[in-house]
Amino acid sequence: MIDTKTLTQLGAHVETPQSPEEAVLETVPFSRGDGPPAIVRFTCPEFTSLCPVTGQPDFAHIVIDYAPDAALVESKSLKLFMTSFRNHGAFHEDCTVMIGRRIVAATKPLWLRIGGYWYPRGGIPIDVFWQTGAPPEGAWLPDTGVAPYRGRG
């Protein structure tokens, strides 16, 4: 069984962080084993942040795929981190890349890619993609499952 004594959020009442900078991404150990690396996917179809100019809410469907090495991101801490963007004003590109970089910093994965499929602002949907490099040899990478914009939903 995994030792969870170092986790501060799992199993505890935790207030939503007021900003992504305040949010803590926690990790748990992962034993990769032999063979091709596993790909872990997190999907956040109701992501929200704020426009840094108008303060109006922006909405996105975020898909994160990563190949963990020795650590997994703990999912409750990830949910709290993602929710902290509701009070955060930043452009779509900045939000998407910030999420990817924070997960990389916390978990040091073999590989990570993130797709931010943003709903239209001013009639133009903005899709943002970022990854750490080439996918690992032998890894199965499924399609993100998010259709090009035609009233996403």
Side-chain angles (χ1 to χ4, degrees):
M1 181 161 206
I2 293 176
D3 181 11
T4 59
K5 292 181 189 124
T6 60
L7 298 176
T8 63
Q9 300 172 94
L10 185 63
H13 175 77
V14 180
E15 296 293 326
T16 300
Q18 292 301 302
S19 70
E21 294 81 14
E22 183 184 306
V24 176
L25 280 174
E26 297 186 322
T27 63
V28 295
F30 178 68
S31 179
R32 204 162 67 80
D34 296 330
I39 299 296
V40 176
R41 172 170 289 170
F42 288 107
T43 304
C44 186
E46 298 176 350
F47 181 85
T48 59
S49 65
L50 298 176
C51 171
V53 177
T54 66
Q56 295 295 306
D58 287 324
F59 301 89
H61 186 145
I62 305 287
V63 179
I64 303 159
D65 291 322
Y66 76 108
D69 189 14
L72 299 168
V73 65
E74 192 280 312
S75 63
K76 181 176 181 179
S77 72
L78 180 65
K79 291 172 197 170
L80 289 165
F81 171 61
M82 299 295 276
T83 302
S84 73
F85 280 86
R86 290 184 179 166
N87 300 318
H88 181 72
F91 291 113
H92 302 332
E93 298 84 351
D94 293 331
C95 287
T96 305
V97 174
M98 177 192 281
I99 293 165
R101 287 186 172 153
R102 282 287 304 275
I103 295 169
V104 167
T107 65
K108 297 172 183 44
L110 300 171
W111 173 82
L112 178 139
R113 76 174 174 191
I114 183 169
Y117 300 87
W118 294 83
Y119 289 81
R121 179 195 289 170
I124 299 174
I126 298 172
D127 295 339
V128 181
F129 307 99
W130 183 80
Q131 68 183 29
T132 58
E137 180 91 24
W140 177 62
L141 301 176
D143 181 83
T144 63
V146 181
Y149 187 78
R150 291 194 58 112
R152 270 186 201 127

